[in-house]
Amino acid sequence: MARLAGVSHQTVSRVLNHHPSIRPETKQRVLDVMAELQYKPNRAARALVTSRSRIIGILSASSTQYGPASSIAAIEAAARASGYWVSTANLESTDAASIADALAHLAAQSIEGLVVIAPQVRVLETLAEMSIDVPFVTLQSTGDEPIRTLSVDQIAGARLATRHLIELGHRNIYHLAGPQDWIEAEARMRGFLDEMSAQDVPTTAPILGDWTADFGYYVGRELLTVRDFTAIFSSNDQMALGLMHAVRDAGLDVPGDVSIIGFDDIPEAAHFWPPLTTVRQDFAELGRRCVALLLGDIDPTAVEHHSTIVPELIVRGSTSRPSF
Amino acid sequence: MARLAGVSHQTVSRVLNHHPSIRPETKQRVLDVMAELQYKPNRAARALVTSRSRIIGILSASSTQYGPASSIAAIEAAARASGYWVSTANLESTDAASIADALAHLAAQSIEGLVVIAPQVRVLETLAEMSIDVPFVTLQSTGDEPIRTLSVDQIAGARLATRHLIELGHRNIYHLAGPQDWIEAEARMRGFLDEMSAQDVPTTAPILGDWTADFGYYVGRELLTVRDFTAIFSSNDQMALGLMHAVRDAGLDVPGDVSIIGFDDIPEAAHFWPPLTTVRQDFAELGRRCVALLLGDIDPTAVEHHSTIVPELIVRGSTSRPSF
DNA sequence: TTTCGGCATGTTCACGGTCACACACGCCGG
DNA sequence: CCGGCGTGTGTGACCGTGAACATGCCGAAA
């Protein structure tokens, strides 16, 4: 032990914790010895005595998708910078048992904070039931939950996308939404509907999808049998990709015959054919702010509960004026 | 404490550890009390005394990409099933300091195993220097490192892709490789070169890319100014996407004028225009096997050090016979 | 000079588990 | 009838750290 080599025992602890009253000389001696024997403080012992784990848990679903993955990476980076560790639990299915299992797994580590990136309504409900006793933040929000959320303003983003289509002159616009129980899907749908009615454009019922390009393709084929629209607002880029695929398969042109707009701005979106007009979300910023919120770096009284990040419209080649 | 409610103290510990000699009646009593007061064993205390953290560290780069993200999710699931936790550290840059920092961060948790998904040669070198004292596995391999690796057989996959192009009749084939210091990039490049020479096709020097669709697009534009080729093998799907974008921008057709084949089979690949011919890697299986290897579930003598998973060629619409 | 207060450091204890060992009990064989 | 053994349970030490308290030293004030 470092204490044998140097002098004592508590002194080492004081050096580690930057206690003020330590003679610089002593401090240096301890540091030297620590370096020499590659001393590493034992986290378990520290956690035991302080009863603080310094671990932030992340409960996520669909962590292979670009958005969640980016957020996770950003959270990890921010947490690390603050001396925290991140432990993830990924949901394989969305049933209550699976959620409870993942949550129990995280709880067993006595996490100090929890970030929920599993944006199903159901997850939040289960969360509430389990009476999680640590501060937690969800990265998605419909704007009226009684919990702490932090999100890209999905509604504003969806309105941005919808307004873009309307301003181009489209009147027959479909919305391909995400799964019904996803908070984000709901928010985007709401944004779409809000903007449509604000601009007095007649609305058709949104179609519920599952975020995958496969589904977008399938829906596209179905819709094109009728073709009573000139534009589609897809609530993510993958489905937009599938839609474009279907449009081309039908021998039609994007944006000539159908304008398509996505959501997220995944890195590939600029290279789709045609390059996809979409709404950019800054996932990394989201992750950073999320940790800041959790760790209370931000004055908790100064921060609004529903802090939002404003998304940005990225106009590329998949939207144009309708041709009729 | 549960011990007050029930009877004693060590008995609780024995119940927790499934010690054989406990009377079923006593065991049940303890379990009941535990359930009642929602007793959770303190991981820190246990880790302290057993000096086992039950944490597996993951060092990853580019965790926002589909492949790594899938592997991470699979590792997490497998680890959880075995009662382990997963802690991730993501590399923001590939310099030695950043690697050392991430590694130190993981080491500070006294991880019991390490999975390296940051597939740069440099990472492995730094790893060796830091003399990591836990078992570790890398998910990438050129096949001749003296370390424990587990990987999709990249070389075989690259040969599969190359052979496909050659069999279609292509003779002027470019290879758009990944960054030079990435192990996977190197392996795929090697597979490409091996197959080309095995089939006696003259080879041009591979072009080094950076995995992004942006780069693929850029390279595509450059290459098309000369146009001395009929096919390109891109070492991932994103760059293939960029390439196809560039080809179309030049007014040419895929696969009519240029055949393009990718690598990975990301979920979107089937919906690119045209649907991308590519090589599928089973990342999830990789993650599972990886944990099994680490935890020694597999008889360590029975397992080869360089266990591999065979990738699969997925033929779609971006490749065809050359048209001349 | 004595006393007091602050600084630098040492000592003791507690955190919540596991481990090694001790103990009580009932059963068996010599 | 007694000693040994196996079963089920309790006792005490210990893991490495930080908090609370104690100690020794020195300089300034009384």
Side-chain angles (χ1 to χ4, degrees):
Chain A
M1 321 194 179
R3 53 202 57 144
L4 294 184
V7 269
S8 66
H9 144 70
Q10 175 66 299
T11 309
V12 175
S13 171
R14 284 196 252 261
V15 170
L16 253 50
N17 295 294
H18 309 104
H19 189 97
S21 70
I22 283 255
R23 209 185 319 153
E25 171 198 322
T26 314
K27 179 171 184 172
Q28 193 51 53
R29 186 150 31 103
V30 173
L31 287 175
D32 287 349
V33 177
M34 290 199 334
E36 191 179 344
L37 6 122
Q38 295 196 291
Y39 170 80
K40 274 188 231 134
N42 183 319
R43 255 174 43 75
R46 184 177 298 187
L48 178 59
V49 70
T50 58
S51 51
R52 302 202 38 185
S53 65
R54 305 218 121 215
I55 296 178
I56 291 177
I58 300 185
L59 180 69
S60 75
S62 54
S63 68
T64 60
Q65 286 188 33
Y66 174 73
S70 305
S71 300
I72 291 175
I75 290 169
E76 189 272 313
R80 172 137 59 101
S82 305
Y84 276 73
W85 284 267
V86 159
S87 183
T88 49
N90 202 40
L91 292 176
E92 290 177 59
S93 74
T94 121
D95 58 288
S98 169
I99 296 170
D101 177 59
L103 237 27
H105 188 251
L106 290 177
Q109 290 198 93
S110 24
I111 52 173
E112 287 184 37
L114 176 65
V115 182
V116 179
I117 317 188
Q120 287 100 345
V121 175
R122 181 171 226 162
V123 171
L124 298 186
E125 290 170 358
T126 311
L127 226 57
E129 278 172 27
M130 292 195 64
S131 62
I132 296 301
D133 51 359
V134 295
F136 73 98
V137 173
T138 65
L139 280 201
Q140 289 82 22
S141 157
T142 54
D144 51 21
E145 304 88 353
I147 55 179
R148 231 172 171 194
T149 61
L150 179 70
S151 64
V152 171
D153 190 338
Q154 310 281 339
I155 296 181
R159 295 190 70 150
L160 229 48
T162 311
R163 191 174 317 135
H164 172 67
L165 293 176
I166 295 172
E167 281 172 356
L168 284 172
H170 293 277
R171 285 299 172 271
N172 300 298
I173 306 172
Y174 271 105
H175 175 50
L176 177 48
Q180 186 165 20
D181 66 342
W182 282 51
I183 295 169
E184 284 169 314
E186 191 187 322
R188 290 175 200 170
M189 187 190 302
R190 194 147 105 191
F192 169 75
L193 296 173
D194 285 1
E195 186 68 20
M196 290 291 271
S197 66
Q199 304 258 358
D200 249 349
V201 179
T203 311
T204 53
I207 301 155
L208 299 178
D210 67 359
W211 298 132
T212 67
D214 279 343
F215 192 86
Y217 180 72
Y218 167 79
V219 166
R221 290 174 66 119
E222 293 294 309
L223 286 181
L224 288 166
T225 58
V226 183
R227 234 194 121 189
D228 54 348
F229 60 94
T230 61
I232 306 180
F233 164 34
S234 163
S235 59
N236 79 345
D237 288 351
Q238 278 84 358
M239 291 196 294
L241 177 64
L243 284 170
M244 295 201 295
H245 183 188
V247 172
R248 274 188 312 261
D249 270 9
L252 298 174
D253 181 57
V254 177
D257 298 300
V258 179
S259 282
I260 289 179
I261 188 166
F263 207 106
D264 278 353
D265 194 30
I266 62 176
E268 289 81 15
H271 299 280
F272 288 172
W273 184 243
L276 187 67
T277 296
T278 187
V279 176
R280 173 177 298 166
Q281 306 200 61
D282 190 345
F283 294 107
E285 173 64 17
L286 198 57
R288 281 189 293 273
R289 283 214 211 165
C290 168
V291 172
L293 186 60
L294 265 189
L295 301 187
D297 286 348
I298 299 174
D299 179 350
T301 57
V303 97
E304 309 138 61
H305 265 209
H306 301 281
S307 171
T308 57
I309 294 169
V310 179
E312 179 189 1
L313 180 70
I314 307 288
V315 180
R316 296 205 184 94
S318 68
T319 50
S320 70
R321 313 199 147 274
S323 58
F324 54 152
Chain B
M1 323 200 178
R3 51 202 58 145
L4 294 185
V7 268
S8 64
H9 143 71
Q10 173 66 301
T11 308
V12 176
S13 171
R14 284 197 252 261
V15 170
L16 253 51
N17 295 293
H18 309 105
H19 189 96
S21 71
I22 281 257
R23 210 184 317 154
E25 172 197 323
T26 316
K27 179 170 183 173
Q28 194 50 53
R29 186 150 31 103
V30 174
L31 287 175
D32 287 349
V33 177
M34 290 198 333
E36 191 179 345
L37 2 128
Q38 294 196 293
Y39 169 81
K40 274 188 233 135
N42 182 317
R43 255 173 44 73
R46 184 178 298 189
L48 178 60
V49 69
T50 58
S51 49
R52 302 203 38 185
S53 65
R54 305 218 122 215
I55 296 178
I56 291 177
I58 300 184
L59 180 70
S60 75
S62 54
S63 68
T64 59
Q65 287 189 32
Y66 174 72
S70 305
S71 299
I72 292 175
I75 290 169
E76 188 273 313
R80 172 138 58 103
S82 305
Y84 276 72
W85 285 266
V86 159
S87 183
T88 49
N90 202 41
L91 292 176
E92 290 176 59
S93 73
T94 121
D95 59 289
S98 169
I99 296 170
D101 178 59
L103 236 29
H105 188 252
L106 290 176
Q109 291 198 92
S110 26
I111 52 173
E112 288 184 38
L114 176 65
V115 182
V116 180
I117 316 189
Q120 286 100 346
V121 176
R122 182 173 226 161
V123 172
L124 297 186
E125 290 170 357
T126 311
L127 226 57
E129 279 172 27
M130 292 194 66
S131 62
I132 296 301
D133 50 358
V134 295
F136 72 98
V137 174
T138 64
L139 279 201
Q140 288 83 22
S141 156
T142 55
D144 52 20
E145 303 90 353
I147 53 178
R148 233 171 170 193
T149 60
L150 180 69
S151 64
V152 171
D153 189 338
Q154 310 282 338
I155 296 181
R159 294 190 71 150
L160 229 48
T162 311
R163 190 174 316 137
H164 172 67
L165 293 176
I166 295 172
E167 280 172 356
L168 284 172
H170 294 276
R171 285 299 172 273
N172 300 299
I173 306 172
Y174 271 105
H175 175 49
L176 177 48
Q180 187 165 20
D181 67 341
W182 281 52
I183 294 169
E184 284 169 313
E186 192 187 322
R188 290 175 200 170
M189 187 190 302
R190 195 147 104 188
F192 168 74
L193 296 173
D194 285 359
E195 186 66 20
M196 290 291 269
S197 66
Q199 305 258 358
D200 250 348
V201 180
T203 311
T204 52
I207 300 154
L208 299 178
D210 66 358
W211 298 134
T212 66
D214 280 344
F215 192 86
Y217 178 72
Y218 167 78
V219 166
R221 291 174 64 120
E222 293 293 309
L223 285 180
L224 288 166
T225 58
V226 183
R227 232 194 122 190
D228 54 348
F229 60 93
T230 61
I232 306 179
F233 163 33
S234 164
S235 58
N236 79 345
D237 288 351
Q238 279 83 359
M239 291 196 295
L241 176 64
L243 284 170
M244 295 200 296
H245 182 188
V247 171
R248 273 187 314 260
D249 270 10
L252 298 174
D253 182 56
V254 177
D257 298 300
V258 179
S259 282
I260 289 179
I261 188 167
F263 207 107
D264 280 353
D265 194 28
I266 62 176
E268 289 81 14
H271 299 279
F272 288 171
W273 183 244
L276 187 66
T277 296
T278 186
V279 177
R280 174 178 298 166
Q281 307 199 62
D282 189 344
F283 296 106
E285 173 63 16
L286 198 57
R288 281 189 294 274
R289 285 214 211 165
C290 168
V291 173
L293 186 60
L294 264 188
L295 301 188
D297 287 348
I298 298 174
D299 180 349
T301 59
V303 97
E304 307 137 63
H305 264 207
H306 301 282
S307 172
T308 55
I309 294 168
V310 179
E312 179 189 1
L313 179 69
I314 307 288
V315 179
R316 297 204 184 94
S318 67
T319 50
S320 70
R321 313 198 147 275
S323 56
F324 56 147

